[in-house]
Amino acid sequence: MNKVTFDQLQETLYHEELPNGLSVYVLPKKGFNKTFATFTTKYGSIDNHFIPLGKKDAIKVPDGIAHFLEHKLFENEEGEDVFQQFSKQGASANAFTSFTRTAYLFSSTMEIEKNLETLLDFVQDPYFSEQSVEKEKGIIEQEIKMYDDNPDWRNYFGLISSMYEYHPVKIDIAGTAASINDITKDMLYTCYETFYHPSNMVVFVVGNLEPEKIIEQIRNNQAKKDFKAPEKIERFFEAEPEEVHEKETTIKMNVNTGKSLTGFKDKRPDKQGTDLLKHELSIQLLLEMMFGQSSENYQKLFDEGLIDDSFSFDYSGEYGFGFSVIGGDTDHPEKLAGRVKEMTNEFISGNIDKGQMESIRKKKIGYFLRSLNSPEFIANQFTRYQFNKMDLFEVIPTLESLTEQDLENAMKEHFNTETQMSICYIKPKGE
Amino acid sequence: MREHTIHDFETGSLNVHVLPSTTYKTNTLLLHMRSSLDKDTVTKRALLPYVLQSGTEKHPSRKDIRHELDELYGATLNVDVSKKGENHLMTFKMEVANEKFLTDDRPLLERAIEMLASVVLHPRTLNDAFDKSIVDGEKRALKQKLASVYDDKMRYANKRLTEEMCEDEPFSLFVLGDSEDLSEIDEKSLYDYYLEAIENDQLDLYIIGDVEESEMETLISRHFGALGKNERKEKKVNKAVQKHRENSREVIEEQDVQQGKLHIGYRTYTTYDDADYFPLQLFNGVFGGFSHSKLFINVREKASLAYYAASRVESHKGLLIVMSGIESNKFNDATEIIFKQMEDMKKGNFSEDDLEQTKAVLKNQLLETMDVPRGFIELEYHNRLSGTERPLSGWMDEIDSVTKEDVVRVAEKIKLDTVYFLKGKEEAGNE
């Protein structure tokens, strides 16, 4: 068991890699009632083209299968729902699928050991039947329809498919009613065998607990189970052009208020580790400086009647894709996008304002500290960072070390309004 | 369970509640301004906090305020309006990093208290009125927000159900007011109302973090000293009207949506200050509050009709609301299953095990809520709001003591009031 202490944050993290390849992390938190645990595989909606474990040839699987698999793991051979078991043990359980990860989690203030055992066991004991797969299709279809009626979701995915021509990040995480219809129990087993190998997974437990005991328990749990020898997973992605696919998309919906989202696509999204951490923090600082609530631009956009407090921005980056998005509700979608473009151009043609940079740096440090109050944030972000070879506890030192030059470089590379920018509008029908 | 000792004191008309705790990396300040929900003031109150956070004497614009917050290591300032029973709350919340975790050790907490006080007590004014440009800007933003409620179909359906169900009761008022009243408000009338609210609202300030009571008394009287001690017009407790409808009714509305939204309103005749409050919480848990509940199991897992099917309780009005997203042509199937679950509850068709399971999950949920400063305040505020003395430390025992008979007794009181269904048009398409 390794132990790393982060003095400034007054946190100690415990880690062990088990013989089967599973990575286990425990972060004790005094004073919390709650324990939160995640069991995550590095497998998400973009992993749709790969060589199955023990096979030679690559296969393509239907859109939405990682998410479908997440739903189905909750049911055991007796047709019982593992939610029932968690709740008998006073826990609430959940799961989510993202572009690159599927996470299973519980939070509980009692019976931590039992709940942890349940989490490890249900994720590692799949049972799929033709009948239960069919039954799930109706449920997921309603989930898809719920998102179809959600203008923010449509705007976000509309923007991603406008930026990306081939990369599967453009596919809706849950797939479509048609694509999930093609899913069979055999496909689920194939995906499961390949991506749920312990060597592709991480357990993270945070709460008021004794790290030695927790790690011991997980070690014993895993020692009882047999797994095939790990293999490196081969994933395939079609070559994605550097530039955006389309500059503009419009979606008409049954809404009163329009929306506008502007996206910037990373040219070479091949960064990992420290490089990715530096890049993502730089872009986040730049976005705050350009469009944060304390910026000139935010005040101008508000005074010009183009935004309300739904206006926001964000950067998402993983191996293979990376983009920032800026926008929100507006009665004038084109005008807002036009102003965002002008302001971006104006910003990148000027110099970094040192005073503003310091002020925003402080803000980001404070935000990060605040998010360490949240066990959910720690577990989810830490795991994401691990999969990208980054270290969550390097965030503050990295923020403190960023120079004007780092920001200049990231700015020049990322915010190119000619080739890297797309816009997606939501407009009321009939306009 | 962690011990929570709250220290209460008064500074003029401000009721201050301090909870010293070393669990968090931040300190939280939350001010509730409460008054009765009323047609004449609801829109003004929805607008007011947004105007106040946009300019103070010392920091005359949103940009200046936000810049100061960035300097305070990204202190957050959020304002919000909410409805609790027939009370309307304006809420101001700040969170600031604990300087202990920073290399910089200026007194961040005092500066945050000063900022909160200046937002609430020292707004930017010109000739006994607010700044016209600020008020106009915030009116425009609120108007847009009101219009966009239509775009979030779950929220829209909930608003419509409340309007239909409680038509002649204050509870039917929408929390953000309405756009007709909004157009009547100007910088002068809003300022006049602000003076009234400061004079008459019930004011409660919560402080949670690594703080000492005596120090807080000094800081609060230094910055909130302007609040004199006066007789509040606002009643200490504002009990909601409980209406009774002889025959339930059905309201069906058609829109261009992919998924139908079924919202069903029941009257519980049980509110927070009743002895039956915890039996009602357990009723809700067995019936529809969790993923082990009857609604989830029967509407989703067994019938595959929905992705979500859940119920929640309005603690200060005495309502129970069921929500589910279904195929538009499955209205009859879904309502039949939901009504059957309600009948089963009334007949006591649930096991002791179901009840025990629900107790475990409910207790866990409460303990988790108490882990978060905001959650802790929310639970504690129930007591202030209802004038009930029911310390959080006793809640677990109250839950444990609920019997099956108690739950059935509560169930028997529950009456169906209104079924609201937002359904899709026949040939609904979204492009």
Side-chain angles (χ1 to χ4, degrees):
Chain A
M1 188 173 74
N2 304 311
K3 178 176 155 181
V4 199
T5 308
F6 304 93
D7 290 331
Q8 193 190 359
L9 299 172
Q10 300 180 9
E11 303 281 8
T12 305
L13 179 70
Y14 297 80
H15 171 238
E16 185 164 309
E17 190 173 318
L18 303 182
N20 67 16
L22 182 66
S23 230
V24 180
Y25 293 89
V26 180
L27 185 76
K29 277 275 194 189
K30 290 228 162 57
F32 277 75
N33 287 315
K34 160 159 95 173
T35 291
F36 183 74
T38 58
F39 192 7
T40 310
T41 160
K42 188 177 180 182
Y43 168 52
S45 63
I46 66 167
D47 300 304
N48 63 356
H49 189 189
F50 59 91
I51 300 179
L53 184 74
K55 296 278 163 54
K56 287 217 173 62
D57 299 319
I59 58 163
K60 280 193 169 174
V61 289
D63 294 347
I65 195 164
H67 171 259
F68 201 104
L69 178 49
E70 173 227 295
H71 271 240
K72 278 327 306 166
L73 266 192
F74 277 88
E75 199 173 307
N76 67 15
E77 198 168 345
E78 288 77 44
E80 276 165 14
D81 204 319
V82 76
F83 283 126
Q84 293 286 342
Q85 196 178 335
F86 275 114
S87 63
K88 280 179 188 141
Q89 295 160 193
S92 66
N94 214 333
F96 65 83
T97 307
S98 74
F99 295 131
T100 53
R101 286 174 289 144
T102 311
Y104 300 84
L105 51 97
F106 77 82
S107 68
S108 181
T109 52
M110 55 193 101
E111 312 235 44
I112 305 307
E113 252 174 73
K114 268 196 200 166
N115 284 313
L116 186 57
E117 210 68 8
T118 305
L119 176 70
L120 296 170
D121 290 348
F122 97 84
V123 173
Q124 293 185 326
D125 182 23
Y127 176 79
F128 315 122
S129 69
E130 287 302 349
Q131 193 200 355
S132 75
V133 167
E134 285 315 306
K135 209 192 65 184
E136 200 66 23
K137 287 177 181 172
I139 297 172
I140 297 183
E141 200 179 318
Q142 287 310 313
E143 186 177 0
I144 292 170
K145 288 192 170 183
M146 179 177 87
Y147 283 109
D148 279 346
D149 281 333
N150 180 325
D152 288 312
W153 187 258
R154 298 279 302 273
N155 200 9
Y156 186 67
F157 274 92
L159 178 66
I160 298 174
S161 21
S162 176
M163 289 189 282
Y164 287 86
E165 189 168 2
Y166 303 112
H167 196 282
V169 68
K170 67 187 290 176
I171 300 164
D172 199 312
I173 290 167
T176 62
S179 75
I180 62 165
N181 211 24
D182 295 336
I183 292 173
T184 64
K185 85 171 198 322
D186 294 334
M187 288 178 199
L188 293 178
Y189 277 118
T190 300
C191 293
Y192 181 86
E193 300 289 335
T194 307
F195 293 105
Y196 283 68
H197 192 280
S199 60
N200 194 43
M201 300 186 74
V202 167
V203 174
F204 197 103
V205 190
V206 49
N208 196 354
L209 34 83
E210 291 172 49
E212 294 81 3
K213 267 181 66 185
I214 295 287
I215 291 186
E216 170 80 30
Q217 186 194 342
I218 300 175
R219 207 186 286 134
N220 292 340
N221 176 289
Q222 293 299 291
K224 282 185 275 181
K225 299 172 183 171
D226 289 324
F227 295 94
K228 289 183 187 164
E231 281 176 32
K232 189 176 182 303
I233 302 170
E234 296 278 357
R235 302 164 161 96
F236 301 93
F237 299 99
E238 242 178 290
E240 173 69 29
E242 282 192 358
E243 302 189 355
V244 293
H245 174 41
E246 281 161 342
K247 303 221 159 174
E248 202 181 290
T249 317
T250 301
I251 301 169
K252 299 248 178 178
M253 288 183 74
N254 169 32
V255 292
N256 274 337
T257 310
K259 288 173 192 294
S260 158
L261 272 190
T262 299
F264 291 93
K265 173 181 176 183
D266 274 336
K267 271 189 189 161
R268 282 174 298 277
D270 53 6
K271 294 185 181 64
Q272 291 280 272
T274 317
D275 292 340
L276 180 59
L277 181 59
K278 240 174 130 166
H279 177 70
E280 108 176 9
L281 293 172
S282 301
I283 301 293
Q284 286 169 0
L285 283 187
L286 289 163
L287 284 166
E288 271 303 331
M289 291 170 73
M290 292 198 267
F291 296 110
Q293 288 206 48
S294 59
S295 68
E296 286 292 345
N297 287 338
Y298 187 99
Q299 184 88 42
K300 279 187 197 156
L301 292 173
F302 192 88
D303 292 345
E304 289 166 20
L306 297 177
I307 60 172
D308 64 12
D309 61 10
S310 66
F311 182 78
S312 67
F313 43 81
D314 191 23
Y315 173 79
S316 309
E318 300 279 338
Y319 188 79
F321 64 91
F323 52 84
S324 50
V325 298
I326 305 158
D329 291 358
T330 177
D331 284 332
H332 312 281
E334 267 113 0
K335 246 194 223 166
L336 175 56
R339 291 291 282 143
V340 167
K341 181 179 176 181
E342 279 170 29
M343 287 169 167
T344 306
N345 280 332
E346 202 181 314
F347 187 86
I348 60 173
S349 63
N351 292 320
I352 299 283
D353 175 338
K354 185 92 177 108
Q356 192 195 14
M357 180 176 161
E358 289 315 317
S359 174
I360 298 298
R361 193 201 305 267
K362 278 189 186 166
K363 173 178 185 167
K364 291 304 271 187
I365 291 173
Y367 268 40
F368 181 74
L369 275 179
R370 199 177 43 145
S371 45
L372 292 184
N373 281 342
S374 157
E376 290 84 349
F377 172 87
I378 298 173
N380 293 331
Q381 280 303 312
F382 187 90
T383 305
R384 176 187 160 246
Y385 273 43
Q386 242 1 70
F387 288 157
N388 283 294
K389 305 183 176 66
M390 308 191 278
D391 183 347
L392 186 69
F393 294 100
E394 280 300 308
V395 167
I396 291 190
T398 307
L399 272 172
E400 283 172 342
S401 74
L402 286 175
T403 62
E404 286 157 86
Q405 195 55 50
D406 292 329
L407 259 58
E408 294 267 359
N409 295 345
M411 177 171 92
K412 297 268 144 62
E413 195 183 315
H414 187 74
F415 293 102
N416 179 330
T417 56
E418 289 307 310
T419 58
Q420 305 312 115
M421 188 182 85
S422 283
I423 301 161
C424 179
Y425 299 120
I426 299 288
K427 290 184 187 167
K429 276 190 176 173
E431 253 181 38
Chain B
M1 184 186 156
R2 199 167 73 230
E3 213 37 62
H4 297 288
T5 315
I6 294 204
H7 305 276
D8 297 324
F9 61 89
E10 287 173 20
T11 296
S13 53
L14 183 67
N15 304 297
V16 187
H17 316 279
V18 179
L19 179 75
S21 163
T22 52
T23 305
Y24 313 108
K25 291 191 159 60
T26 53
N27 295 317
T28 298
L29 303 168
L30 186 143
L31 175 71
H32 279 317
M33 294 181 64
R34 179 187 70 84
S35 104
S36 316
L37 195 54
D38 187 299
K39 168 86 175 120
D40 292 336
T41 58
V42 63
T43 310
K44 287 178 186 152
R45 294 178 72 87
L47 181 63
L48 185 53
Y50 293 88
V51 169
L52 292 177
Q53 70 154 354
S54 300
T56 65
E57 270 171 20
K58 202 165 150 195
H59 302 287
S61 71
R62 172 203 294 268
K63 183 174 159 286
D64 297 322
I65 292 178
R66 294 290 152 181
H67 178 71
E68 171 70 6
L69 294 170
D70 291 352
E71 285 291 317
L72 298 178
Y73 279 88
T76 58
L77 166 65
N78 296 302
V79 301
D80 188 20
V81 278
S82 57
K83 215 162 87 169
K84 298 246 180 253
E86 284 168 355
N87 297 286
H88 202 207
L89 306 183
M90 298 189 285
T91 303
F92 302 80
K93 184 188 169 206
M94 283 193 74
E95 218 181 315
V96 62
N98 182 344
E99 47 259 34
K100 195 162 90 186
F101 297 103
L102 299 170
T103 37
D104 184 330
D105 54 3
R106 278 175 302 168
L108 290 180
L109 181 60
E110 175 161 14
R111 287 170 70 188
I113 291 173
E114 186 183 357
M115 174 57 94
L116 181 65
S118 67
V119 165
V120 178
L121 300 178
H122 310 290
R124 174 171 164 75
T125 54
L126 298 160
N127 307 321
D128 291 327
F130 286 125
D131 182 330
K132 179 170 165 44
S133 65
I134 289 177
V135 173
D136 287 350
E138 294 303 329
K139 277 172 70 178
R140 197 257 319 148
L142 179 54
K143 194 172 169 208
Q144 187 171 310
K145 226 191 289 179
L146 282 164
S148 63
V149 171
Y150 175 86
D151 307 347
D152 175 346
K153 301 305 172 194
M154 207 187 294
R155 192 167 188 210
Y156 175 81
N158 203 42
K159 174 174 183 271
R160 290 285 301 116
L161 170 69
T162 312
E163 285 167 358
E164 292 290 341
M165 181 169 171
C166 304
E167 54 189 340
D168 299 319
E169 301 158 67
F171 196 75
S172 67
L173 293 168
F174 186 54
V175 62
L176 297 178
D178 80 73
S179 48
E180 256 175 59
D181 290 344
L182 181 62
S183 56
E184 302 292 309
I185 300 172
D186 65 21
E187 62 280 8
K188 178 74 182 122
S189 64
L190 190 66
Y191 184 68
D192 290 343
Y193 179 69
Y194 159 75
L195 295 176
E196 267 178 52
I198 286 287
E199 192 75 5
N200 292 314
D201 274 21
Q202 184 183 304
L203 309 174
D204 287 280
L205 175 64
Y206 290 84
I207 304 174
I208 297 189
D210 196 357
V211 297
E212 276 169 35
E213 190 195 355
S214 56
E215 192 199 351
M216 290 306 105
E217 287 204 43
T218 315
L219 293 182
I220 297 303
S221 62
R222 186 179 300 159
H223 297 288
F224 283 87
L227 282 170
K229 176 99 190 144
N230 67 317
E231 205 45 51
R232 302 269 114 180
K233 279 209 195 108
E234 197 47 57
K235 282 180 290 190
K236 277 234 165 72
V237 176
N238 186 28
K239 190 138 166 87
V241 191
Q242 295 272 11
K243 282 195 54 172
H244 181 66
R245 193 188 296 281
E246 278 310 313
N247 300 305
S248 66
R249 60 191 199 122
E250 220 171 82
V251 179
I252 293 179
E253 194 174 325
E254 215 176 71
Q255 263 188 29
D256 178 3
V257 287
Q258 296 282 317
Q259 182 177 68
K261 301 288 183 204
L262 175 61
H263 287 223
I264 303 176
Y266 293 88
R267 304 262 177 187
T268 63
Y269 303 100
T270 303
T271 49
Y272 179 79
D273 51 347
D274 291 321
D276 271 345
Y277 181 69
F278 282 105
L280 177 67
Q281 289 291 320
L282 283 160
F283 166 89
N284 185 53
V286 176
F287 176 64
F290 300 107
S291 51
H292 70 268
S293 308
K294 284 178 178 288
L295 292 181
F296 189 90
I297 299 296
N298 291 288
V299 181
R300 171 173 153 148
E301 298 296 288
K302 290 204 178 138
S304 298
L305 286 178
Y307 171 63
Y308 67 90
S311 65
R312 62 177 181 81
V313 162
E314 216 300 344
S315 297
H316 297 278
K317 173 66 181 166
L319 308 179
L320 174 84
I321 310 290
V322 172
M323 289 168 287
S324 186
I326 57 170
E327 206 59 52
S328 289
N329 59 12
K330 293 284 162 58
F331 175 79
N332 290 332
D333 307 63
T335 46
E336 194 180 311
I337 296 172
I338 293 167
F339 294 155
K340 167 84 168 49
Q341 305 318 307
M342 179 58 90
E343 276 316 302
D344 281 350
M345 291 300 298
K346 289 177 189 264
K347 287 184 192 147
N349 287 341
F350 57 92
S351 66
E352 290 290 344
D353 278 355
D354 291 336
L355 188 61
E356 287 312 308
Q357 185 177 8
T358 302
K359 284 180 180 176
V361 179
L362 187 61
K363 285 191 285 185
N364 181 57
Q365 189 188 50
L366 287 169
L367 286 168
E368 287 192 14
T369 306
M370 291 176 201
D371 263 351
V372 187
R374 173 83 215 223
F376 179 83
I377 296 169
E378 175 147 356
L379 298 180
E380 189 57 44
Y381 193 69
H382 281 308
N383 286 326
R384 291 290 300 160
L385 202 56
S386 59
T388 313
E389 280 304 319
R390 187 179 260 156
L392 298 192
S393 53
W395 285 26
M396 301 300 141
D397 291 342
E398 292 205 52
I399 290 170
D400 278 330
S401 69
V402 174
T403 64
K404 192 174 165 185
E405 290 67 46
D406 295 332
V407 176
V408 173
R409 182 181 67 246
V410 164
E412 281 167 347
K413 286 196 275 180
I414 296 176
K415 290 232 155 47
L416 177 64
D417 188 297
T418 302
V419 178
Y420 172 85
F421 189 46
L422 176 65
K423 65 182 242 186
K425 290 186 174 148
E426 285 301 308
E427 72 292 61
N430 233 352
E431 272 340 290

